[in-house]
Amino acid sequence: MEVIIIDNIKQRGRKSKHSNYYSINDILSVLNRESIKKIYLVSPHDNKADTQSIKREPKFETIVLDDHDKSLNELGLISKINTIIEKYGIRDDLMIITQNINTNINFNPILDYFEATRKPVMLLKKVNKSAISRHTVVSINKDNIITNITEHAVKPQSSLTSAGVYFIPHDAIFWIKKISNSGADKTSMDLFMKRLMQKRKVRGIVI
């Protein structure tokens, strides 16, 4: 498995205002898994201290990419991810992280499921109903299969939203390329997963 992290973390090297949320190095520390072979970190230019310590991380081969590079900076999220996939010839299963995550999460059961089934997975979190309209609303059925993904829902039918972590099996990566080449540069990963739902069952795991 390979991992792409789009580093949007504002408070690096220390806890953020959310008590259980940490720096990018803390996130890497929870990805302690032999099946993870390589990490691509798209990092803002002002994160030099953090990225230097990441390069010394012995568990992974870590490739740090500067988000101010014109080849990445001017792209929408899906095209940015596709550029990395094509540049480095990624053909393995893929984990994509686009938000700061709670490092108290035990990823091992989630990775066990993904590696056993090779089915797409989207991590979800509960949000206060008064704030859910500001998020992408995700609905799941009794089998935890995602049934609907809606941005800016007027009448939300769920209190679940994306946690910004996605698992894409290697044989579904070509859909990222297809959407990127269609010119849908501004497509979010949530909307990508909605499109993928038309082809595959996507499991939602609440963290």
Side-chain angles (χ1 to χ4, degrees):
M1 179 186 295
E2 302 187 33
V3 181
I4 294 176
I5 301 176
I6 309 296
D7 180 10
N8 292 320
I9 300 169
K10 300 302 182 184
Q11 301 194 30
R12 300 175 177 86
R14 58 191 174 89
K15 290 185 181 182
S16 75
K17 62 182 180 181
H18 304 290
S19 60
N20 289 327
Y21 289 73
Y22 296 79
S23 75
I24 194 68
N25 273 327
D26 294 309
I27 292 174
L28 290 180
S29 72
V30 303
L31 300 177
N32 187 9
R33 185 89 168 187
E34 287 186 3
S35 58
I36 296 176
K37 304 301 183 184
K38 191 178 295 185
I39 290 178
Y40 305 86
L41 173 63
V42 180
S43 178
H45 190 64
D46 62 349
N47 200 6
K48 287 184 178 178
D50 220 17
T51 56
Q52 285 171 357
S53 63
I54 289 168
K55 288 180 179 179
R56 295 194 297 269
E57 172 56 61
K59 289 181 293 186
F60 317 108
E61 178 183 353
T62 306
I63 298 171
V64 180
L65 305 165
D66 185 353
D67 197 23
H68 286 82
D69 185 316
K70 286 186 178 180
S71 65
L72 291 175
N73 183 255
E74 296 175 359
L75 298 177
L77 180 59
I78 292 297
S79 291
K80 188 176 295 186
I81 292 169
N82 185 58
T83 297
I84 296 168
I85 290 171
E86 293 195 337
K87 181 176 181 179
Y88 294 96
I90 298 174
R91 297 294 181 266
D92 203 350
D93 297 328
L94 192 57
M95 178 182 182
I96 299 173
I97 302 174
T98 63
Q99 294 181 25
N100 199 347
I101 56 175
N102 188 327
T103 54
N104 290 331
I105 298 169
N106 179 4
F107 276 100
N108 285 320
I110 300 168
L111 288 165
D112 286 342
Y113 170 82
F114 177 67
E115 291 172 1
T117 65
R118 292 299 191 274
K119 292 181 179 178
V121 173
M122 180 175 177
L123 299 193
L124 308 175
K125 60 185 178 182
K126 290 186 177 180
V127 176
N128 189 295
K129 285 192 174 182
S130 63
I132 190 65
S133 61
R134 298 197 298 269
H135 299 266
T136 299
V137 179
V138 182
S139 300
I140 57 177
N141 64 18
K142 60 182 179 63
D143 297 316
N144 294 319
I145 301 300
I146 295 176
T147 57
N148 194 33
I149 299 175
T150 307
E151 285 195 330
H152 311 300
V154 177
K155 295 183 179 180
Q157 301 299 311
S158 168
S159 60
L160 297 176
T161 189
S162 170
V165 182
Y166 314 84
F167 297 85
I168 312 297
H170 67 276
D171 58 353
I173 287 178
F174 78 95
W175 288 107
I176 294 177
K177 179 177 181 178
K178 188 171 183 178
I179 290 175
S180 174
N181 290 344
S182 73
D185 264 357
K186 302 303 181 183
T187 300
S188 68
M189 274 302 299
D190 296 340
L191 291 183
F192 166 75
M193 297 302 279
K194 184 173 184 175
R195 294 189 184 194
L196 188 59
M197 283 168 50
Q198 299 170 10
K199 309 294 181 181
R200 306 280 186 89
K201 290 183 178 179
V202 177
R203 184 179 178 88
I205 298 179
V206 181
I207 58 175

